[in-house]
Amino acid sequence: MHITLNGKNRQIAPGQTLHDLVLSMNLDPAVVVAELNSDIVPGTQFAATVLRDGDRLELLSFVGGG
Amino acid sequence: MEHTDIFELGGKRLTSRLFTGTGKYGDDGLIPAVCEASGSQVITVALRRVDLDGRGDNVMRHIPGHMTLLPNTSGARTADEAVRIARLARAMGCGDWIKIEVISDNRHLLPDGYETARATETLAREGFVVLPYMNPDLYVARSLADAGAAAIMPLGAPIGTNRGLRTEEMIRILIEEMDLPIIVDAGIGTPSQACQAMEMGAAACLVNTAIATAADPVLMGRAFGRAVAAGREAFLAGPGAVSALARASSPLTGFLGETGGAA
C-alpha cells in the first residue's frame, strides 16, 4: 500500500504501525513527532497507530535553529 | 550576585540571562561546551521534516539535559502555521515554551506583527509560554502583551547580520513602557552590544549567530555570558549621571594647597 510521507509517495507493508515505520527508517522514536492526516501523534502513541492506505504522514524532529 | 539576581520566566528561575541557539554551528558537537562556557540555561531549536534519505545527526543529542528548550516556529508564514508548529513542538515532550517567529519576507526576515499577535493569543490560551520575536514597535508590543506573551523579543538588527543594536532607541522605549521582560533577539554581533542592551535594562539577550559562527564558539560563548552578566550588574548598580562638562574626580585644590590643580 502507499502513503505520502513528508510529501513523497512511499510504499509500505500493510499493517505496519507508525512505530514500525520509524524504526525501519533508523529513526529514534523519542526524537520524532508525527502528524498523521493533519492530527498530531506523539511518540507515545506510535506503537498503537496502524497506518492505512492513502495516509498523509509528516515526520518531524528538532534541528539547529536560532 | 548571579545567585541573588533571578530571572523568573515561564515558571523557571534562571540565573543566566543569556539565551543561546543551535543554528549555524560548523560542528554541533561544540554545543555542550558552549552551554557550559556561556552559562546559558535556555536554548533554541527549530522543527523540520526528518531527512528520509541520509542519516542526519540529531541536534537533541548535543543539548545538555538541564537546558530549557525554546523551540521556534521558523518557517511559519502565517499565524496558523506558527500554531501548528508550536503544537507539534510541544508534542515532542520537551516543555511548553515557544518562540513565535512568523516571517514571510525572505530578504530581510522581518517578523509580521499582526500574524505574530494572532499566534500569540491562540498559544497563550493553550498554556504555552509564548515568547514572540518582534520588530521593536510599541503598539505591536502592547498587542503582544494583551495577547498573553510571557516576554517580548525585539530584534536589534535583522537576523544573522551581527550588526548590533541598530534599533536601540526603539528598544529603549519598550523597556521604559512595557511591564513584560524585554529579551533582545537577533542582530547582536559582539559581547559589548549584548552588554549595552543589558545596561539599558533588557531582561536577557538571545545570541546564536555571533557565537556559532565565531572562530572559537566556546570562547565567544564565555565572553557573551560574562558581558550579559556585567551589563545586568551595571543596570542594577544604577549608572552615574552623564555630564557635558568635565567634573574633577580628585579635590580641586593645588597639590600643596594653592588653587588651580586638577584631575
Side-chain angles (χ1 to χ4, degrees):
Chain A
M1 65 180 203
H2 290 267
I3 63 169
T4 303
L5 174 57
N6 288 1
K8 289 179 184 160
N9 188 40
R10 190 177 183 98
Q11 185 164 9
I12 63 167
Q16 255 199 333
T17 66
L18 193 45
H19 187 74
D20 297 333
L21 178 70
V22 167
L23 289 185
S24 75
M25 296 168 57
N26 290 323
L27 294 170
D28 176 1
V31 296
V32 175
V33 66
E35 198 184 57
L36 181 59
N37 302 322
S38 302
D39 289 328
I40 294 171
V41 186
T44 51
Q45 290 170 33
F46 283 4
T49 305
V50 178
L51 295 169
R52 293 187 172 80
D53 193 41
D55 275 347
R56 285 174 294 108
L57 177 66
E58 294 282 344
L59 291 178
L60 305 108
S61 65
F62 286 134
V63 298
Chain B
M1 180 75 240
E2 56 258 89
H3 295 296
T4 54
D5 175 39
I6 302 292
F7 180 24
E8 293 194 30
L9 184 64
K12 303 262 183 180
R13 293 170 55 82
L14 305 170
T15 52
S16 166
R17 290 169 180 269
L18 173 64
F19 294 8
T20 46
T22 55
K24 300 184 186 169
Y25 276 93
D27 174 10
D28 284 354
L30 289 172
I31 291 171
V34 168
C35 293
E36 166 84 26
S38 67
S40 175
Q41 297 164 317
V42 177
I43 195 162
T44 59
V45 290
L47 191 68
R48 291 291 182 274
R49 283 173 164 172
V50 298
D51 182 1
L52 300 179
D53 306 315
R55 281 289 327 114
D57 190 16
N58 191 284
V59 71
M60 295 302 288
R61 201 163 67 78
H62 302 290
I63 299 178
H66 71 274
M67 301 295 288
T68 293
L69 210 63
L70 177 56
N72 68 36
T73 66
S74 63
R77 289 155 299 177
T78 64
D80 290 345
E81 288 176 6
V83 167
R84 179 182 174 197
I85 294 168
R87 289 171 177 160
L88 282 162
R90 182 155 74 175
M92 200 76 92
C94 299
D96 53 11
W97 287 34
I98 192 77
K99 170 182 163 181
I100 308 269
E101 216 179 305
V102 184
I103 294 170
S104 54
D105 176 310
N106 283 335
R107 183 166 160 81
H108 302 289
L109 300 179
L110 292 173
D112 182 326
Y114 175 70
E115 294 292 318
T116 299
R118 280 186 56 221
T120 298
E121 187 168 22
T122 301
L123 293 170
R125 215 184 299 125
E126 293 181 13
F128 283 87
V129 174
V130 184
L131 308 179
Y133 170 62
M134 50 100 63
N135 231 319
D137 176 282
L138 182 58
Y139 299 97
V140 172
R142 285 177 175 156
S143 67
L144 293 171
D146 291 344
I152 49 176
M153 304 212 290
L155 60 96
I159 292 175
T161 59
N162 282 348
R163 292 175 68 189
L165 282 182
R166 298 301 175 115
T167 59
E168 177 185 346
E169 295 307 322
M170 299 302 120
I171 289 177
R172 207 179 283 282
I173 289 170
L174 297 188
I175 290 170
E176 280 172 16
E177 297 296 327
M178 302 299 296
D179 290 330
L180 286 179
I182 308 297
I183 302 170
V184 179
D185 177 9
I188 293 177
T190 59
S192 60
Q193 293 158 359
C195 187
Q196 185 193 353
M198 298 306 295
E199 287 174 0
M200 283 162 50
C205 290
L206 197 164
V207 179
N208 183 357
T209 300
I211 294 174
T213 65
D216 184 341
V218 177
L219 190 57
M220 189 60 89
R222 187 169 75 162
F224 266 104
R226 290 176 167 188
V228 165
R232 176 64 181 174
E233 289 186 6
F235 170 74
L236 293 175
V242 175
S243 165
L245 292 177
R247 297 188 175 197
S249 300
S250 307
L252 268 182
T253 56
F255 170 51
L256 293 175
E258 304 86 353
T259 57

Tab-separated table of all heavy atoms in Angstrom, chain A residues 16-51:
chain	number	residue	atom	x	y	z
A	16	GLN	N	1.519	-2.137	8.984
A	16	GLN	CA	2.644	-1.510	9.689
A	16	GLN	C	2.146	-0.431	10.648
A	16	GLN	O	1.259	0.345	10.315
A	16	GLN	CB	3.594	-0.859	8.681
A	16	GLN	CG	4.870	-1.645	8.467
A	16	GLN	CD	5.970	-0.816	7.851
A	16	GLN	OE1	5.712	0.151	7.140
A	16	GLN	NE2	7.195	-1.175	8.119
A	17	THR	N	2.745	-0.395	11.829
A	17	THR	CA	2.438	0.707	12.740
A	17	THR	C	3.414	1.847	12.474
A	17	THR	O	4.458	1.672	11.818
A	17	THR	CB	2.581	0.289	14.217
A	17	THR	OG1	3.951	0.005	14.475
A	17	THR	CG2	1.709	-0.915	14.536
A	18	LEU	N	3.067	2.980	13.034
A	18	LEU	CA	3.947	4.146	12.928
A	18	LEU	C	5.291	3.837	13.574
A	18	LEU	O	6.351	4.231	13.067
A	18	LEU	CB	3.248	5.331	13.618
A	18	LEU	CG	3.776	6.724	13.414
A	18	LEU	CD1	4.092	7.013	11.970
A	18	LEU	CD2	2.731	7.709	13.935
A	19	HIS	N	5.235	3.097	14.665
A	19	HIS	CA	6.465	2.705	15.363
A	19	HIS	C	7.354	1.858	14.454
A	19	HIS	O	8.563	2.100	14.350
A	19	HIS	CB	6.089	1.925	16.631
A	19	HIS	CG	7.251	1.605	17.516
A	19	HIS	ND1	7.870	2.558	18.284
A	19	HIS	CD2	7.918	0.436	17.748
A	19	HIS	CE1	8.863	2.001	18.964
A	19	HIS	NE2	8.914	0.722	18.653
A	20	ASP	N	6.734	0.861	13.761
A	20	ASP	CA	7.493	0.013	12.833
A	20	ASP	C	8.170	0.866	11.759
A	20	ASP	O	9.346	0.677	11.440
A	20	ASP	CB	6.559	-0.985	12.123
A	20	ASP	CG	5.890	-1.956	13.086
A	20	ASP	OD1	6.477	-2.213	14.149
A	20	ASP	OD2	4.774	-2.430	12.765
A	21	LEU	N	7.390	1.784	11.207
A	21	LEU	CA	7.908	2.605	10.109
A	21	LEU	C	9.100	3.442	10.563
A	21	LEU	O	10.133	3.512	9.881
A	21	LEU	CB	6.795	3.519	9.570
A	21	LEU	CG	7.241	4.451	8.441
A	21	LEU	CD1	7.508	3.668	7.163
A	21	LEU	CD2	6.208	5.543	8.181
A	22	VAL	N	8.948	4.070	11.733
A	22	VAL	CA	10.020	4.935	12.236
A	22	VAL	C	11.295	4.125	12.464
A	22	VAL	O	12.392	4.534	12.069
A	22	VAL	CB	9.562	5.648	13.531
A	22	VAL	CG1	10.728	6.296	14.247
A	22	VAL	CG2	8.509	6.694	13.187
A	23	LEU	N	11.124	2.944	13.059
A	23	LEU	CA	12.304	2.096	13.296
A	23	LEU	C	12.926	1.629	11.991
A	23	LEU	O	14.148	1.574	11.860
A	23	LEU	CB	11.926	0.878	14.152
A	23	LEU	CG	11.594	1.157	15.619
A	23	LEU	CD1	11.370	-0.164	16.362
A	23	LEU	CD2	12.690	1.965	16.306
A	24	SER	N	12.078	1.315	10.991
A	24	SER	CA	12.598	0.820	9.712
A	24	SER	C	13.416	1.894	9.000
A	24	SER	O	14.202	1.600	8.110
A	24	SER	CB	11.440	0.362	8.813
A	24	SER	OG	10.763	1.484	8.280
A	25	MET	N	13.201	3.148	9.402
A	25	MET	CA	13.957	4.248	8.790
A	25	MET	C	15.155	4.645	9.640
A	25	MET	O	15.771	5.682	9.410
A	25	MET	CB	13.039	5.456	8.610
A	25	MET	CG	11.899	5.174	7.623
A	25	MET	SD	10.657	6.457	7.708
A	25	MET	CE	11.676	7.861	7.362
A	26	ASN	N	15.488	3.814	10.615
A	26	ASN	CA	16.620	4.090	11.508
A	26	ASN	C	16.457	5.389	12.284
A	26	ASN	O	17.437	6.064	12.592
A	26	ASN	CB	17.941	4.132	10.729
A	26	ASN	CG	18.346	2.758	10.245
A	26	ASN	OD1	18.141	1.768	10.947
A	26	ASN	ND2	18.884	2.703	9.043
A	27	LEU	N	15.202	5.736	12.593
A	27	LEU	CA	14.964	6.946	13.377
A	27	LEU	C	14.673	6.554	14.822
A	27	LEU	O	14.107	5.502	15.087
A	27	LEU	CB	13.772	7.717	12.808
A	27	LEU	CG	13.962	8.315	11.413
A	27	LEU	CD1	12.631	8.824	10.883
A	27	LEU	CD2	14.986	9.447	11.455
A	28	ASP	N	15.063	7.429	15.739
A	28	ASP	CA	14.790	7.212	17.160
A	28	ASP	C	13.408	7.790	17.463
A	28	ASP	O	13.208	8.998	17.361
A	28	ASP	CB	15.874	7.926	17.975
A	28	ASP	CG	15.609	7.841	19.474
A	28	ASP	OD1	14.605	7.228	19.880
A	28	ASP	OD2	16.423	8.395	20.234
A	29	PRO	N	12.425	6.931	17.826
A	29	PRO	CA	11.065	7.435	18.070
A	29	PRO	C	11.013	8.517	19.145
A	29	PRO	O	10.088	9.335	19.157
A	29	PRO	CB	10.308	6.183	18.541
A	29	PRO	CG	11.113	5.028	18.084
A	29	PRO	CD	12.542	5.493	18.059
A	30	ALA	N	12.006	8.545	20.023
A	30	ALA	CA	11.997	9.516	21.119
A	30	ALA	C	12.239	10.946	20.629
A	30	ALA	O	11.940	11.897	21.346
A	30	ALA	CB	13.052	9.138	22.153
A	31	VAL	N	12.799	11.094	19.435
A	31	VAL	CA	13.101	12.446	18.964
A	31	VAL	C	12.332	12.784	17.690
A	31	VAL	O	12.726	13.667	16.923
A	31	VAL	CB	14.624	12.645	18.743
A	31	VAL	CG1	15.369	12.513	20.062
A	31	VAL	CG2	15.166	11.670	17.715
A	32	VAL	N	11.229	12.060	17.464
A	32	VAL	CA	10.409	12.311	16.273
A	32	VAL	C	8.980	12.605	16.714
A	32	VAL	O	8.474	12.013	17.661
A	32	VAL	CB	10.416	11.067	15.346
A	32	VAL	CG1	9.477	11.270	14.166
A	32	VAL	CG2	11.824	10.787	14.850
A	33	VAL	N	8.329	13.536	16.013
A	33	VAL	CA	6.908	13.779	16.243
A	33	VAL	C	6.213	13.594	14.889
A	33	VAL	O	6.826	13.821	13.837
A	33	VAL	CB	6.648	15.178	16.836
A	33	VAL	CG1	7.000	16.272	15.850
A	33	VAL	CG2	5.209	15.309	17.323
A	34	ALA	N	4.989	13.108	14.922
A	34	ALA	CA	4.296	12.810	13.676
A	34	ALA	C	3.002	13.600	13.559
A	34	ALA	O	2.359	13.937	14.566
A	34	ALA	CB	3.997	11.312	13.591
A	35	GLU	N	2.652	13.878	12.324
A	35	GLU	CA	1.360	14.475	12.014
A	35	GLU	C	0.716	13.565	10.977
A	35	GLU	O	1.214	13.438	9.859
A	35	GLU	CB	1.565	15.891	11.460
A	35	GLU	CG	0.331	16.761	11.516
A	35	GLU	CD	0.582	18.112	10.875
A	35	GLU	OE1	0.980	18.136	9.681
A	35	GLU	OE2	0.392	19.128	11.529
A	36	LEU	N	-0.357	12.879	11.389
A	36	LEU	CA	-0.999	11.898	10.517
A	36	LEU	C	-2.348	12.455	10.076
A	36	LEU	O	-3.240	12.653	10.904
A	36	LEU	CB	-1.176	10.572	11.277
A	36	LEU	CG	-1.804	9.408	10.509
A	36	LEU	CD1	-0.989	9.061	9.274
A	36	LEU	CD2	-1.955	8.196	11.416
A	37	ASN	N	-2.487	12.691	8.777
A	37	ASN	CA	-3.716	13.287	8.227
A	37	ASN	C	-4.114	14.533	9.024
A	37	ASN	O	-5.257	14.704	9.426
A	37	ASN	CB	-4.855	12.259	8.220
A	37	ASN	CG	-4.473	11.028	7.419
A	37	ASN	OD1	-3.814	11.132	6.373
A	37	ASN	ND2	-4.857	9.865	7.908
A	38	SER	N	-3.114	15.356	9.285
A	38	SER	CA	-3.266	16.646	9.981
A	38	SER	C	-3.512	16.538	11.488
A	38	SER	O	-3.709	17.551	12.149
A	38	SER	CB	-4.377	17.501	9.364
A	38	SER	OG	-4.093	17.726	8.002
A	39	ASP	N	-3.489	15.318	12.043
A	39	ASP	CA	-3.600	15.185	13.500
A	39	ASP	C	-2.232	14.851	14.098
A	39	ASP	O	-1.507	14.009	13.555
A	39	ASP	CB	-4.586	14.063	13.870
A	39	ASP	CG	-6.023	14.445	13.563
A	39	ASP	OD1	-6.334	15.646	13.662
A	39	ASP	OD2	-6.806	13.552	13.193
A	40	ILE	N	-1.915	15.480	15.213
A	40	ILE	CA	-0.624	15.233	15.851
A	40	ILE	C	-0.634	13.884	16.559
A	40	ILE	O	-1.585	13.549	17.260
A	40	ILE	CB	-0.310	16.352	16.866
A	40	ILE	CG1	-0.114	17.680	16.131
A	40	ILE	CG2	0.922	16.003	17.702
A	40	ILE	CD1	-0.007	18.890	17.036
A	41	VAL	N	0.430	13.116	16.337
A	41	VAL	CA	0.597	11.836	17.033
A	41	VAL	C	1.896	11.902	17.828
A	41	VAL	O	2.979	11.884	17.246
A	41	VAL	CB	0.672	10.652	16.038
A	41	VAL	CG1	0.693	9.329	16.795
A	41	VAL	CG2	-0.475	10.691	15.047
A	42	PRO	N	1.808	11.960	19.161
A	42	PRO	CA	3.046	11.965	19.944
A	42	PRO	C	3.707	10.596	19.937
A	42	PRO	O	3.050	9.580	19.652
A	42	PRO	CB	2.582	12.353	21.354
A	42	PRO	CG	1.123	12.117	21.400
A	42	PRO	CD	0.609	12.091	19.986
A	43	GLY	N	4.983	10.570	20.242
A	43	GLY	CA	5.770	9.335	20.187
A	43	GLY	C	5.179	8.201	21.002
A	43	GLY	O	5.303	7.024	20.630
A	44	THR	N	4.510	8.550	22.104
A	44	THR	CA	3.940	7.513	22.974
A	44	THR	C	2.835	6.726	22.281
A	44	THR	O	2.472	5.635	22.726
A	44	THR	CB	3.354	8.161	24.245
A	44	THR	OG1	2.484	9.224	23.862
A	44	THR	CG2	4.459	8.693	25.141
A	45	GLN	N	2.275	7.264	21.194
A	45	GLN	CA	1.178	6.570	20.507
A	45	GLN	C	1.600	5.922	19.189
A	45	GLN	O	0.763	5.385	18.460
A	45	GLN	CB	0.029	7.556	20.242
A	45	GLN	CG	-0.684	7.968	21.533
A	45	GLN	CD	-1.645	9.117	21.293
A	45	GLN	OE1	-2.237	9.233	20.228
A	45	GLN	NE2	-1.790	9.973	22.296
A	46	PHE	N	2.910	5.971	18.896
A	46	PHE	CA	3.375	5.414	17.620
A	46	PHE	C	3.027	3.925	17.499
A	46	PHE	O	2.594	3.455	16.456
A	46	PHE	CB	4.890	5.583	17.478
A	46	PHE	CG	5.324	6.985	17.113
A	46	PHE	CD1	4.401	8.020	17.002
A	46	PHE	CD2	6.667	7.258	16.860
A	46	PHE	CE1	4.807	9.306	16.668
A	46	PHE	CE2	7.073	8.540	16.518
A	46	PHE	CZ	6.153	9.558	16.421
A	47	ALA	N	3.232	3.172	18.594
A	47	ALA	CA	3.047	1.716	18.529
A	47	ALA	C	1.583	1.336	18.322
A	47	ALA	O	1.274	0.283	17.768
A	47	ALA	CB	3.587	1.073	19.800
A	48	ALA	N	0.685	2.210	18.768
A	48	ALA	CA	-0.750	1.898	18.689
A	48	ALA	C	-1.381	2.437	17.404
A	48	ALA	O	-2.573	2.259	17.177
A	48	ALA	CB	-1.468	2.483	19.907
A	49	THR	N	-0.568	3.077	16.581
A	49	THR	CA	-1.104	3.715	15.378
A	49	THR	C	-0.795	2.870	14.139
A	49	THR	O	0.352	2.773	13.709
A	49	THR	CB	-0.509	5.129	15.216
A	49	THR	OG1	-0.761	5.869	16.407
A	49	THR	CG2	-1.118	5.850	14.022
A	50	VAL	N	-1.816	2.238	13.584
A	50	VAL	CA	-1.642	1.420	12.378
A	50	VAL	C	-1.858	2.308	11.152
A	50	VAL	O	-2.839	3.049	11.074
A	50	VAL	CB	-2.642	0.241	12.358
A	50	VAL	CG1	-2.470	-0.569	11.078
A	50	VAL	CG2	-2.442	-0.643	13.589
A	51	LEU	N	-0.940	2.217	10.209
A	51	LEU	CA	-1.031	3.065	9.020
A	51	LEU	C	-1.991	2.459	8.007
A	51	LEU	O	-2.120	1.236	7.904
A	51	LEU	CB	0.361	3.230	8.404
A	51	LEU	CG	1.340	3.979	9.317
A	51	LEU	CD1	2.767	3.886	8.795
A	51	LEU	CD2	0.921	5.454	9.449
